[in-house]
């Protein structure tokens, strides 16, 4: 099936390459970021104590989603999470505005998960125990090295030009 994905324009080349690699047909939503939709958002939050990681999975974006996620990020930091993984619905027109807001809070795009049952998910990470040492990361292929470099470019602590 062809997907209509909603992301800020600066992330389209990166995600487009991933979709091409996976042979996923894609169209992009409007280029303007827009705003968060009215109505309530729905998300799940879970702390993985053993991994020292928080997980936030957004099912529906609403006007309150950015504020609610910001509170959860703070709670995870207080619980000593080393990082938080966020999964946002790529087919939700509110995703670009939410990404813009999350990026101002230190989150950065790391890729996507195509999931037919739940819809495609944009992956972001907020690292608290950083910065990440990208020079020590070992990728198993040229494509893996490319992915690491793309993530480094998105990471505000890994890319001084960002």
């Amino acid at each position: 099936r062809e997907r209509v994905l909603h992301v800020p324009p600066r992330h389209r080349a990166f995600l487009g390459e991933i979709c091409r690699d996976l042979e996923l047909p894609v169209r992009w939503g409007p280029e303007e970021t827009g705003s968060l939709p009215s109505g309530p958002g729905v998300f799940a939050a879970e702390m993985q104590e053993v991994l020292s990681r928080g997980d936030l999975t957004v099912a529906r974006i609403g006007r309150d989603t950015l504020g609610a996620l910001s509170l959860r990020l703070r709670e995870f930091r207080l619980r000593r999470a080393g990082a938080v993984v966020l999964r946002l619905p790529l087919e939700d027109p509110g995703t670009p505005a939410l990404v813009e807001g999350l990026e101002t809070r230190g989150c950065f795009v790391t890729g996507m998960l195509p999931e037919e049952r739940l819809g495609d998910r944009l992956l972001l990470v907020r690292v608290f125990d950083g910065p990440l040492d990208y020079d020590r990361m070992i990728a198993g292929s040229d494509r893996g090295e490319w992915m690491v470099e793309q993530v480094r470019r998105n990471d505000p602590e890994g890319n001084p030009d960002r």
Side-chain angles (χ1 to χ4, degrees):
R1 72 178 173 87
E2 183 177 65
R3 296 148 162 76
V4 177
L5 304 183
H6 300 272
V7 295
R10 71 181 166 283
H11 296 301
R12 290 181 179 186
F14 174 40
L15 298 176
E17 284 290 319
I18 294 171
C19 289
R20 275 189 287 287
D21 285 352
L22 299 173
E23 298 180 3
L24 302 174
V26 64
R27 278 189 308 119
W28 301 110
E31 285 210 14
E32 57 276 351
T33 299
S35 59
L36 294 172
S38 62
V42 176
F43 70 93
E46 183 179 3
M47 178 69 181
Q48 304 284 336
E49 300 288 347
V50 173
L51 300 173
S52 185
R53 185 187 81 207
D55 288 312
L56 294 168
T57 302
V58 177
R60 184 177 64 234
I61 297 171
R63 183 153 315 279
D64 62 343
T65 305
L66 180 59
L69 292 177
S70 297
L71 286 174
R72 290 295 183 173
L73 287 168
R74 184 173 185 274
E75 288 172 10
F76 283 136
R77 184 173 195 161
L78 292 172
R79 291 177 69 182
R80 302 205 182 279
V84 178
V85 176
L86 299 96
R87 294 170 183 84
L88 309 183
L90 272 167
E91 296 172 86
D92 188 317
T95 296
L98 186 55
V99 169
E100 297 283 346
L102 289 168
E103 287 179 328
T104 67
R105 288 155 175 83
C107 299
F108 58 96
V109 172
T110 60
M112 67 175 285
L113 287 175
E115 298 181 82
E116 291 294 333
R117 187 173 59 87
L118 298 174
D120 299 326
R121 299 286 173 199
L122 180 65
L123 297 175
L124 290 90
V125 171
R126 174 61 169 101
V127 176
F128 296 122
D129 289 344
L132 297 177
D133 188 351
Y134 291 96
D135 294 330
R136 295 189 62 179
M137 292 184 185
I138 299 170
S141 67
D142 290 342
R143 199 56 167 168
E145 289 178 18
W146 175 84
M147 287 286 295
V148 170
E149 184 55 32
Q150 297 307 305
V151 172
R152 179 197 306 246
R153 288 181 184 168
N154 290 335
D155 181 351
E157 291 184 332
N159 181 2
D161 298 327
R162 182 170 171 236

